[in-house]
Each structure stands twice: as C-alpha cells, then as structure tokens.
Amino acid sequence: PPRRHKKKLDKYGYNEVLTTEEPEWKKILSRFLGIVPICMIVGAIISAAVETGCVLVAEDLDDCSCDPGRDWVSFALLIFEVVLIVYVDYRSEKNAADAVKALKDMSAPSCKAKRDGEWVETPVRELVPGDLIELAAGVVIPSDGKLVGHGEPMLIDESSLTGESLPVTKRPGDEVLSGAVVVQGELEMMVTATGVDTFFGKTIALLATVTEQGNVQHLLGTVAKIMCTFGLVGVIPIFFVQLFRDDVEWASSLKTAIVILVATLPVAMPLVVTTALAVGSYELSQEKAIVQRLSAIEEMAGMDILCSDKTGTLTKNELVLDGDLIWEVNGSTAGEILKVSCLAAKLEGGQDAIDKAVKEALASFPESQGGGLAQLEEYEVKKFVPFNPVDKRTEATVVAPGGKVYRMSKGAPGVMVDLCCQGSLREEAEDKIIENAQRGLRSLGVAIAEGDEHSGGEYNLIGMISLLDPPRDDTAQTIVDAQEKGVEVKMITGDQRAIAIETASRLNMGTNIIGSEIWGPDGEALIRAQGSFGQFIEQVNGFASVFPEHKFRIVEELQKIGHIVGMTGDGVNDAPALKRANVGIAVAGATDAAKSASDIVLNAPGLSTIITAINRSRKIFNRLNGYVLYRMASSVLILGFFFLSIVALKFDFPTWVLILLSLVNDFTAMATSKDSCRPAEEPLKWNMVHTTIISVVIGLVGVLENVLLLFLSEPRYVDWWSGWKLPDLSSCQVVAVMYLNIAMTVQLNIFSTRNKSFYFITSEKWGGAPPPSLTLCVPVFGSILIAVLIAALWPDNISLGGGANMVGCGWGPVGVVALWAIVWFHVRDAIKVLTYKILETGSDMFYANLTGSTAEDRRKKVKDMIKKARKRLGMKELKKQGLKANIESHEIPHHELSGAAAATAAAARMSVDEQPAKWKEAMGKIRALEQEMKRLSSRVDALEGGGSKKRGGVFRRGGG
C-alpha cells in the first residue's frame, strides 16, 4: 500500500479483532495442577518410591503375613485414574466452535476501495479510516462508515445487529454498521472505524471478556477444598502417630497419609459429573438441542430468569398481515383490500417481505369473504412500479375482468394519506396511523384509482392493513410453562419500544418495557430509586432499543445480585449476552455468531425445547446432588475409619485395597447418571452447608459402624466370633471383613443419599424419590457381589502391594458382615431423615408449629399472595382503562408523519400525562395490601409462638 495508507495502518491497525488463545498444552497442564491431581501424583510417586513396612503388633505377625515392598499397584491405579480424569475433563470442556472466528468470518473478505484515484480490489483487513469503498446490493458492509456521494437511498438489513425486523432506509450522510447487509441501492461509503473500534469489533471485545468456567467447576472446587481440609486434619495426626508412636519410617508414614488423603478426596468426581452431564446432553440431542458446554445443563436447573431477544426468538422474524386489524373505509371490504394489495405487489420471483405477507394473507382469507389467490388470474397487470425509498409505495396498472383499467397502490401510511385523503377522512386515517404506531404495528395504506397514469382519476383510500412480526407458535405456552417452573421471562430487544410492548401484550408477558431512556442521565435517578441496576431490572418486564453492550450489562447485573440467568437469541447483537449468561441458548435459524457464543443450540423451530431442557436439567441436578452427597459421605467414612483404626486400634489396612475400593465405588456411582428422578417445580441451587452437614452425619454413622465392627472382629479385643459359632479370625482375615463392610456401607449409601425421605419411600406426595432405575441397581449390587466373593475367597498367596496382606475370611463371617451392614444401613437412613427434618425446619428446629409448615413455607405463601394480589390489581386496572390506554402510556411513534398527523399525535400524548397518577394510585393499593399481609404474617407468628399450639396439625381451631 502507499506510504500514507501504511501510516494509517500503523496508527489504526488492521481491520480485524485479534484474539489470544491459550495453547492446548497449557490447558492440559493446568488440569494436572489442581489440588486433587497433585495429591494423586504425589501419592503415586511415593507408593513406587517407598518400600512399605508393617504396622502390625509383634504378636500378630505369626498368624498373618506382611510383605514389605514397593506398592506398584497403587502407583498404577493412581496414575491411570489421574490421566483418565484429566483427559475426560479436557475433552468435555473443549468448545469446537469459536464465537470470535464466527463473527470475523461474517465480514466480506475483500471489497472495492478507491486508492490514488483508482478503484481497486482491497482485502477487508487492510481498510483504514478515510478509505472510500463501493457498496451494492448483497454486499456485507466491512466496517463502520458514512454514506457519501449522490444517488438514491439504500435499503440495509441490520436485523442481526439491532433486531430491527425490516430493512432500514439510509441516505447519503447516514452512518452504517459493520456486518449489515445491503438489500437495495448503490452508494459509496467513507470508512470511519475499523477493527475493535467498530460496532462489530466492540461486540467481539465483549465476548473476549467472558470466562468459560461454569457453576459445576465452582462446585467441584468447593467440594475438593472441603474434602482436602477434612483430609489434612485427619491425615496429619496419622502421620505423626505412625512416626513417633509406632516407629514407622517417615517415608512410609508419609505414603500412608498421602494414600488415605487421596482416598478421601473426590478423585473421580469430575469424571462422574461429566458422565452425568454427557447423558443429559445425549437426551437433549434427541429433542434436537445441541449442548456445546456440558456444565450449562446443570446451571439451567438453577436458572430463575430467562432473558430473551424478541426478533427471531420470541417472534418468527417474518412479517405477517393481521386479518383482524384491516381498517375498511369508503365501503370497501377486507377481501377487496387484500385483493388490491396483492395486485399492487410483486407476486412472482424476488418478493420482498411485505409482498410475501400480503400474498399469504389473501391465500388464507376465507373465499366466502373475498379471499383466495385464484381470483387474481382474472386480472391482467399491465405495469408494475416496485417500492423504492423515495416514493415509498408500489403501483400497478391493472385490467379488470370487464376490461376496465385501474391503478392500484399500497405504501407508507403517511404517503398514502397525503396522496388521497382530505377533510374528516384524513383526520380519521391519521388517528388510525397513530393508534397502530402506538401498538408497534407496521401500517400500509391501500388505494385505488380508475384509468391509467395518463387518463385516470385521483386515488381513493379504501383501507389500511397492519403488518407485524408474529410470535412463534409455541412462544406463549413456553412462557406460561417457564413461569410455572419458577423462571421469569424478560424481553430484551433492539427493536422499538412500542413494537416490544405489542409483542409482550400478545404473549401476556407484562408491558412494563423500558426504552433507551434508562441508559441516559434520566435513567440514573430511576436506578437509584431501586437501590441498584440489578434490582431495577428485577422490577421490569423487559427492555427495548438496546445495543449489544446493554444486553450484556443487563445479564451481568442480574448475575451480580445472585440470579442464574439464561439468554436466548439469534443475532450477532445477541452474541455477547449469550456468552455472558449462565445458559446461552441460540434458537433455530440463529447466525453463526450466536450459535458459537451459546451453550445450547436449538435446531428445531420454536422454544418448547427450552422447557424440556429445564425439566431434564433439574433431573440431572438431582442426580448430581445425590452423587455429591454420597461421595462426601464416603470421604468422611474413609477418613474417619482409618484415623480411628490406625490411631486407636493400630490396624494396618493395605493401601492398594483402599485405592481399589475408592476407584470401584466411583465408577459404580457413574450409574447415577441414569437414575430415575423427578424434575423440581422450582429452580434448584446448591446448598453446600446442608450438603456438608448431611454427608458428615451419614459418614460419621458409617465410621461408628465400621470402627465398632473392627473392634469386635479383632480377637485382641473381644471374643465376638465365637458368639456366632465361628472361629476367631486372623488380622489378614479381618482385613477382608473390613473391606467387605466398607464396600457395602459405601454402596448402600447410594440408595440413601438419592432420597430425602426413607430410601423405600417412592411417593411424590411424601417427598420420596422414584424407585431406583435398573441401570443403577445392577452395578451397585454387582459391586457388592464382587466384594463378597473377594472377602470370602481371596487366596493367601496373592499380595498385590507391600504392607499387610488380605486373606479370605470364608462364608460364615461374610454372612454376619452382610447382616451387620444391612442393619446399620437402616440406622443411617433414619438418622439422615431426622437430620433433613431438623435442617429444613429452620427457625422452628425444636418445635412443631401450628400448621405443620416451616417459617420459610409461611413466608413463601405470603409472598405468593402478594404476587397474586399485584396481578389482580393490575388486571383490574387494565380492564378499567382498556388495552389502548395501557399501550398509550408507553407510546413512542415510529412513523414519519405529516404536520397535521404530528399535531394529532402530540395531542394524544398529552392524555398520557394522566396515566402516572392512576398507576400511582394502584401502587398505593398494592403497598397497603403488602402492609396488611405483613401484619397478618406477624400475627400468625405470634400465635404460633404462644401456648395454644396444635398437636401434629391434626385438630383445627375452634374445636368441633
């Protein structure tokens, strides 16, 4: 390029957005540097490097072998598991699609630019501010710029950038955006911004600010930290006890401590969680929903707000003529108006959106009322003048069946009124235009005149048709279903406020839609009144006239105040918010940019798949919650048992058996990903405090069970086996006994942790989970069977690692252990139910209240009553004032009107000033109702705290 162009390139940079990607080797290495992998690697190295000694007391060495040596089995098992876990985690989180690349690829690769007075083909990436480029129909605009030169106005499609359904008219002097598509016209453009400075580039920059870590990663990190803390507290005393009390070498003591710590940590939890999410991803793929980020499935279970783009998401992104809103004048009928509109349209080849909508409307209109396309064959179109941005109307010269010639025209309402309306008809037509504008409807005037353009008379207006971008067929039901699931739906659109309100009213979403004023100085006062922007967003039903950075901020602010936010969209302008949201959902027909930025891509038309995804995600959440509870309880059991067995009872358990036991248990628990469960009716969120308490209680009961069995089984302490008519066991046989009991304890815990109620309660009415699936039962009972066979039959001449050996104890002790494990399983399950009851009653922990419900339940009921009251008052106000008044209160005209029409619109807007007073009165009633609810709630609490408590909620007030 010339020297001047080179200087600009040095100053502004290339017309592209460079992104820095982390090398793949760093992504893999970072996964080996977590708490759990490091502990596993250290444990593996020590297992192979240190020769294991024997911790058995001297008098027991004669009845049980103890083989010092290096523990290569533990080394192999630990290395195998850590590599497997890292690989699965890396593969599952690797996104094949790249949002930034998809956005960049949307630009044209080259364009015609004027350099040194000549038009040359120039790579798009070399454009700089000040370049002059040529635009024509079909061109993707490569940078931000300003139209220059002389010529007819252009039609430009900005729907994927701004959400505007129809192409917009741009004249010389107007600014245009990178990524928009030229629909009609030819002009030159002066480049004003390139690269990251463009509207397009800012969108990419927003995507680059979003981190990929999901809620599941945070959860796994939290669980790992909790378990690591528990583990360190337990193994440090074990290390010092063996080192100083038992005179074990420091390396051997360290190896024992590390292996117990590894067994305590949730080693295979990432693998199990990934399996559960992968199963959910497969299930969603059967519904034609592709999951690109697995952790989004779990996050969808807690989603409580769904922000949705309007154009192309809630709506079809296509124009439809509403037959019920046809305005008839001068004695015309709806069928005649549609027929004239069709004859004044291009019916074959290259139809624009309006002509297509008009044709489809006539085709579907009842033939008895003048509908049907067959009648058009009787007319001959002699001349057709298509729509252009200057005249803003179409015109056709038509020969009717009787040979009479007519001119038929349709076009922008203001133009058609100026063309053929006078006096009272003009005022009536202008009122109709304003009414439609306030409702966000696209109006077209329809007129007819006798004769051709040379000998014909004046046009007469025969009516007005209204076009809109209709909601998708299943949108309304999807919104209702989402609300029933506890998910609030908010509309966020780049379209005009009036259009957003009309769409919201048709979908019963609520019409409290905020326009662009919220982003200006006046918006600061509104935000301060609510406390924060996030709290302000909670109070409204949606936003209109927003840019991508606004959508991004809305999602971000909701997340800051604790909401788990979903976002649906289809355009480039939705991509940043899709990426920022906890769950980004690209609908069918979305742009590549939106698909790449999203977590879930819907390939089937409609939004009903979202409800299916919510139900499935909540099932998966329940499965994951049960597994996390089970794994933490298992960790407490293993840590507590080995702490007491080594410190208090001086028992030596082979480390390789411990690692194998943990590995088998984790892989068996993968079957929880196919367990039967019910979807919750409310969003689900992790409560790690409750989960930790429940798991610790279950684990401690298991510790008591196993330590007591060890004490009874060791002939050094109690002559227990003779009571069962069985001979005493050697220490190596006691190892087999404890292996079996720990295995059965851990495996049976799966059935306990999956159900908040007793494990055998399967009724939804009583809060039970469905019966466990066959897919879960088979591996659980299969692993128990394997443990039984090993414990009964393991030969004394096979030792897979250094340290104490294990010898089969025979079938008699196995039967006793099985009975012991089953009895204690029921004890643990009963204590679990009691613990849940105590935790869930909250402030009513130690007494039964009058109604049998918790304080939290009562607060929820009062909140629901207030919500219903708000809705009732709002509906009364809506019926009283009428839909028109409600829409007028949000009125923003979006048509260019003549002077008289503008004056009429101003007069209509003056009546809007009366609306705030009426709404203020309604809000006063709501606040009074809230105060009354608080008073009643306080009275109920006072009564429950008094002496007249009901017993078990059976008897009612008033005796009798």
Side-chain angles (χ1 to χ4, degrees):
R3 183 183 299 273
R4 185 176 60 182
H5 178 249
K6 182 69 168 62
K7 286 183 178 180
K8 285 190 174 183
L9 269 181
D10 294 338
K11 179 179 179 181
Y12 297 107
Y14 284 103
N15 183 30
E16 61 186 3
V17 180
L18 297 177
T19 57
T20 56
E21 290 190 12
E22 189 178 19
E24 297 300 314
W25 67 268
K26 280 189 176 182
K27 295 179 182 178
I28 297 174
L29 181 63
S30 65
R31 285 169 165 80
F32 280 103
L33 298 179
I35 296 175
V36 175
I38 287 177
C39 290
M40 294 177 69
I41 293 171
V42 171
I45 293 172
I46 292 177
S47 296
V50 176
E51 287 196 7
T52 304
C54 299
V55 194
L56 293 172
V57 292
E59 57 266 27
D60 288 329
L61 290 176
D62 56 352
D63 69 348
C64 181
S65 62
C66 177
D67 302 322
R70 302 182 190 275
D71 195 349
W72 292 106
V73 174
S74 296
F75 172 83
L77 290 174
L78 288 171
I79 293 298
F80 165 75
E81 192 170 11
V82 72
V83 171
L84 178 65
I85 289 168
V86 167
Y87 174 77
V88 171
D89 185 47
Y90 166 73
R91 292 298 304 175
S92 65
E93 292 298 326
K94 180 177 174 59
N95 288 327
D98 189 298
V100 176
K101 184 177 183 300
L103 285 169
K104 289 170 62 179
D105 289 346
M106 291 184 65
S107 299
S110 63
C111 63
K112 286 188 177 180
K114 198 170 188 178
R115 298 270 171 84
D116 296 333
E118 295 184 2
W119 290 97
V120 294
E121 198 74 21
T122 304
V124 165
R125 68 186 298 267
E126 294 182 5
L127 290 178
V128 294
D131 277 347
L132 200 64
I133 64 174
E134 187 178 72
L135 299 181
V139 170
V140 178
I141 300 176
S143 66
D144 288 359
K146 181 180 291 187
L147 297 179
V148 296
H150 302 283
E152 298 295 328
M154 304 181 74
L155 286 179
I156 296 180
D157 181 6
E158 296 180 340
S159 61
S160 66
L161 298 171
T162 65
E164 175 66 38
S165 304
L166 285 176
V168 294
T169 301
K170 297 287 185 177
R171 298 176 174 81
D174 290 343
E175 294 183 350
V176 292
L177 301 176
S178 170
V181 180
V182 179
V183 176
Q184 179 180 314
E186 294 184 5
L187 278 175
E188 296 172 0
M189 184 192 85
M190 179 73 71
V191 176
T192 57
T194 59
V196 295
D197 298 322
T198 64
F199 179 93
F200 205 57
K202 291 173 183 176
T203 301
I204 299 176
L206 285 174
L207 290 181
T209 65
V210 181
T211 58
E212 287 285 341
Q213 191 174 36
N215 198 40
V216 169
Q217 283 77 14
H218 288 296
L219 169 72
L220 296 181
T222 302
V223 173
K225 289 175 183 176
I226 293 173
M227 289 292 94
C228 188
T229 302
F230 279 141
L232 288 173
V233 170
V235 301
I236 290 175
I238 292 174
F239 171 75
F240 286 110
V241 165
Q242 286 196 329
L243 183 64
F244 295 110
R245 188 194 69 180
D246 300 331
D247 295 327
V248 178
E249 292 184 0
W250 72 268
S252 184
S253 298
L254 179 62
K255 179 240 183 181
T256 301
I258 291 292
V259 170
I260 293 174
L261 178 62
V262 169
T264 301
L265 295 177
V267 173
M269 185 177 284
L271 184 61
V272 176
V273 170
T274 299
T275 302
L277 296 177
V279 170
S281 174
Y282 174 77
E283 291 174 347
L284 287 177
S285 70
Q286 305 304 301
E287 305 289 338
K288 297 187 178 179
I290 306 302
V291 178
Q292 299 188 126
R293 183 172 64 90
L294 287 179
S295 60
I297 298 175
E298 177 272 334
E299 292 177 45
M300 181 173 271
M303 181 178 71
D304 56 353
I305 292 182
L306 178 62
C307 298
S308 179
D309 175 49
K310 179 187 72 69
T311 307
T313 304
L314 295 175
T315 64
K316 297 180 178 180
N317 195 19
E318 61 184 43
L319 285 182
V320 170
L321 192 152
D322 193 329
D324 296 331
L325 297 178
I326 297 175
W327 185 55
E328 305 162 2
V329 294
N330 289 329
S332 61
T333 65
E336 292 171 342
I337 295 171
L338 288 176
K339 180 172 65 176
V340 172
S341 300
C342 272
L343 290 170
K346 187 175 183 180
L347 299 180
E348 301 295 338
Q351 288 180 308
D352 62 22
I354 294 176
D355 289 349
K356 181 181 178 183
V358 170
K359 180 180 178 181
E360 290 177 351
L362 182 62
S364 61
F365 205 70
E367 293 186 8
S368 60
Q369 301 178 33
L373 294 176
Q375 58 183 314
L376 300 182
E377 298 176 0
E378 302 174 0
Y379 295 82
E380 181 184 359
V381 179
K382 288 290 188 181
K383 181 181 179 182
F384 177 72
V385 180
F387 179 90
N388 64 79
V390 177
D391 295 330
K392 294 187 178 181
R393 66 184 182 92
T394 64
E395 184 178 85
T397 303
V398 179
V399 180
K404 196 170 183 179
V405 178
Y406 293 93
R407 281 173 294 132
M408 302 177 183
S409 181
K410 71 177 190 306
V415 171
M416 300 304 291
V417 167
D418 290 337
L419 180 68
C420 54
C421 292
Q422 300 293 332
S424 60
L425 179 59
R426 183 183 184 93
E427 293 179 3
E428 191 177 352
E430 288 173 345
D431 288 342
K432 191 64 180 177
I433 294 172
I434 294 170
E435 178 186 341
N436 287 346
Q438 289 169 344
R439 294 186 58 181
L441 300 174
R442 318 271 182 177
S443 299
L444 289 177
V446 183
I448 188 170
E450 295 183 358
D452 58 21
E453 66 269 26
H454 303 296
S455 60
E458 295 182 352
Y459 271 106
N460 291 312
L461 186 72
I462 62 172
M464 201 172 293
I465 57 178
S466 297
L467 302 169
L468 71 152
D469 180 10
R472 292 179 182 263
D473 297 334
D474 62 347
T475 299
Q477 186 59 46
T478 299
I479 292 172
V480 171
D481 292 341
Q483 291 169 343
E484 290 178 351
K485 291 289 180 183
V487 180
E488 183 180 359
V489 183
K490 294 182 184 292
M491 180 191 299
I492 305 179
T493 178
D495 219 335
Q496 299 178 48
R497 186 181 186 182
I499 298 173
I501 292 170
E502 173 66 16
T503 302
S505 67
R506 288 172 177 259
L507 294 173
N508 298 316
M509 292 179 64
T511 55
N512 185 14
I513 308 293
I514 303 300
S516 57
E517 67 275 5
I518 192 63
W519 311 110
D522 295 339
E524 296 294 332
L526 291 173
I527 293 172
R528 282 196 300 270
Q530 294 294 334
S532 70
F533 189 36
Q535 292 170 322
F536 176 80
I537 298 171
E538 286 181 317
Q539 305 302 318
V540 303
N541 300 121
F543 292 84
S545 303
V546 299
F547 288 102
E549 56 266 32
H550 299 150
K551 295 185 179 185
F552 184 93
R553 186 185 173 193
I554 289 168
V555 171
E556 190 173 47
E557 292 293 335
L558 285 171
Q559 290 174 327
K560 286 180 181 178
I561 60 175
H563 290 288
I564 295 182
V565 184
M567 177 75 197
T568 64
D570 69 326
V572 176
N573 58 328
D574 302 316
L578 288 170
K579 192 83 169 180
R580 173 73 269 179
N582 299 93
V583 185
I585 305 170
V587 299
T591 61
D592 288 342
K595 289 179 180 178
S596 299
S598 65
D599 303 311
I600 299 174
V601 179
L602 307 183
N603 286 331
L607 300 176
S608 60
T609 306
I610 293 177
I611 303 301
T612 303
I614 289 174
N615 287 330
R616 293 193 183 278
S617 67
R618 291 182 183 179
K619 286 184 178 181
I620 292 168
F621 183 97
N622 286 331
R623 293 168 183 164
L624 290 178
N625 185 67
Y627 169 75
V628 170
L629 190 62
Y630 152 79
R631 189 59 184 86
M632 291 179 70
S634 300
S635 297
V636 173
L637 165 62
I638 291 171
L639 179 64
F641 170 75
F642 282 97
F643 176 84
L644 293 176
S645 65
I646 292 175
V647 173
L649 302 178
K650 297 184 180 181
F651 181 72
D652 190 15
F653 196 86
T655 53
W656 68 268
V657 176
L658 174 60
I659 294 173
L660 179 62
L661 180 67
S662 298
L663 186 62
V664 170
N665 289 339
D666 276 324
F667 277 97
T668 302
M670 290 173 62
T672 57
S673 61
K674 295 291 287 183
D675 190 18
S676 302
C677 55
R678 298 186 182 96
E681 293 302 316
E682 295 291 332
L684 299 172
K685 295 185 180 180
W686 292 100
N687 188 336
M688 289 311 300
V689 174
H690 279 202
T691 300
T692 303
I693 292 173
I694 297 292
S695 60
V696 167
V697 168
I698 295 174
L700 289 178
V701 177
V703 171
L704 175 61
E705 169 196 351
N706 283 274
V707 170
L708 184 57
L709 179 63
L710 175 60
F711 178 79
L712 295 174
S713 299
E714 272 283 8
R716 290 178 292 157
Y717 304 114
V718 179
D719 185 16
W720 191 60
W721 294 106
S722 61
W724 295 93
K725 308 300 182 185
L726 295 171
D728 288 341
L729 303 180
S730 68
S731 293
C732 288
Q733 288 175 316
V734 173
V735 169
V737 166
M738 297 314 304
Y739 166 75
L740 174 59
N741 197 72
I742 293 174
M744 290 191 66
T745 301
V746 171
Q747 292 298 326
L748 292 176
N749 275 346
I750 292 180
F751 298 118
S752 181
T753 54
R754 66 183 294 276
N755 198 336
K756 284 188 175 183
S757 185
F758 293 100
Y759 75 94
F760 53 82
I761 298 294
T762 59
S763 170
E764 186 175 6
K765 178 181 178 182
W766 294 96
S773 65
L774 187 63
T775 309
L776 177 63
C777 292
V778 168
V780 169
F781 289 115
S783 65
I784 291 176
L785 177 60
I786 292 173
V788 167
L789 295 175
I790 290 176
L793 305 174
W794 189 266
D796 58 0
N797 59 346
I798 297 180
S799 177
L800 299 181
N805 198 1
M806 181 171 70
V807 177
C809 61
W811 292 108
V814 164
V816 174
V817 172
L819 178 62
W820 175 273
I822 292 172
V823 170
W824 275 94
F825 167 62
H826 288 83
V827 174
R828 286 197 308 277
D829 199 52
I831 295 175
K832 173 208 69 178
V833 173
L834 178 61
T835 306
Y836 267 121
K837 187 67 176 176
I838 292 174
L839 289 176
E840 290 178 352
T841 52
S843 61
D844 302 320
M845 186 178 294
F846 297 111
Y847 68 91
N849 58 44
L850 296 177
T851 61
S853 63
T854 65
E856 185 179 349
D857 291 335
R858 296 197 306 277
R859 285 193 295 271
K860 185 176 184 300
K861 288 179 181 178
V862 171
K863 186 177 178 181
D864 290 341
M865 291 171 67
I866 293 173
K867 187 175 181 180
K868 290 178 181 178
R870 282 179 183 272
K871 187 174 181 180
R872 285 199 300 270
L873 286 174
M875 290 303 295
K876 287 180 181 178
E877 185 70 13
L878 187 65
K879 290 177 181 178
K880 182 178 178 182
Q881 302 298 330
L883 180 62
K884 184 173 181 293
N886 185 44
I887 294 171
E888 285 177 351
S889 66
H890 303 280
E891 177 270 329
I892 291 185
H894 63 284
H895 288 277
E896 296 179 4
L897 305 177
S898 62
T904 307
R909 285 195 296 273
M910 289 177 65
S911 65
V912 174
D913 296 336
E914 302 171 5
Q915 295 297 320
K918 295 173 182 176
W919 284 109
K920 185 176 180 180
E921 179 184 354
M923 290 305 297
K925 293 178 181 178
I926 291 173
R927 283 192 288 271
L929 182 61
E930 288 175 345
Q931 293 298 323
E932 179 67 14
M933 291 295 180
K934 289 180 181 178
R935 187 182 68 79
L936 290 174
S937 180
S938 299
R939 186 177 178 186
V940 170
D941 289 338
L943 288 172
E944 291 174 348
S948 57
K949 297 181 181 178
K950 294 183 180 180
R951 298 183 180 178
V954 176
F955 300 102
R956 302 180 180 275
R957 277 192 179 91

